[in-house]
Amino acid sequence: MRKLLFVLPIIILFCSFQEVVAQKRSAIKRRPVPKVISCGICNQEATFLPKPEYPKIARSLNVSGTVRVQILINEKGKVRWAKAVLGHPFLRPASVKAALRARFEPFLLDRKPVQVSGTIVYNFTQ
C-alpha cells in the first residue's frame, strides 16, 4: 500500500505533463508548405532572358557547349535560386549569373501565384 501511495502521485504528475506537452504541440501553428510546380525547360516562358557573358578564359581556350541551369521561380516571377547542373565548368558561373537576372510572368495554379521549378538552357558558341 505504501508503494502505491508513493507511485500514484508520480503517475498523475507524468500524465498531466504529457497533457501539457500535447496542448503545446497542437498550439504551434504550422505554415503551409508552398506548392511548387515544374515548367520543364523554361526558356520560352521567360519575359526577360539575358544572355550570359562569354567568359574570357573559356573564349581563349575555345570552350563551347551547352549549360543547363536549374532554377526556382518565386510567386512574383523572379528567379530565387539557380544552380548549374550540366555543362563545362568554365561556362557555369556566367550561366548562373544570367539565370538569376531572368524574369517570368507569375505562374498561376487555381488563380493563385505559385513557385515554379525548371531549367534554363544556355548555348555557348564562338
Side-chain angles (χ1 to χ4, degrees):
M1 187 70 171
R2 286 185 187 169
K3 288 184 179 179
L4 183 61
L5 290 176
F6 178 73
V7 173
L8 190 59
I10 293 173
I11 293 173
I12 292 171
L13 183 64
F14 180 75
C15 290
S16 63
F17 177 73
Q18 291 296 326
E19 186 177 325
V20 169
V21 169
Q23 287 174 355
K24 285 188 176 182
R25 283 185 183 158
S26 66
I28 296 173
K29 293 183 179 177
R30 289 186 170 80
R31 292 189 296 183
V33 177
K35 291 188 178 188
V36 178
I37 60 174
S38 176
C39 69
I41 296 179
C42 303
N43 290 45
Q44 302 299 329
E45 308 295 330
T47 57
F48 174 67
L49 188 61
K51 291 193 177 209
E53 185 178 324
Y54 212 120
K56 291 179 183 177
I57 189 163
R59 190 177 297 273
S60 66
L61 295 173
N62 293 324
V63 174
S64 61
T66 302
V67 179
R68 287 182 177 259
V69 181
Q70 259 185 336
I71 59 170
L72 180 65
I73 304 164
N74 69 13
E75 293 87 350
K76 295 179 181 178
K78 294 182 179 182
V79 177
R80 187 173 137 202
W81 175 86
K83 179 183 178 186
V85 292
L86 183 69
H88 195 283
F90 289 162
L91 303 174
R92 288 182 178 200
S95 300
V96 170
K97 188 175 178 181
L100 287 170
R101 294 188 356 245
R103 296 291 179 259
F104 298 83
E105 283 292 322
F107 289 82
L108 302 177
L109 182 65
D110 296 330
R111 289 187 261 165
K112 294 180 183 175
V114 294
Q115 293 187 56
V116 178
S117 66
T119 305
I120 296 177
V121 179
Y122 292 107
N123 294 310
F124 288 86
T125 57
Q126 287 191 353

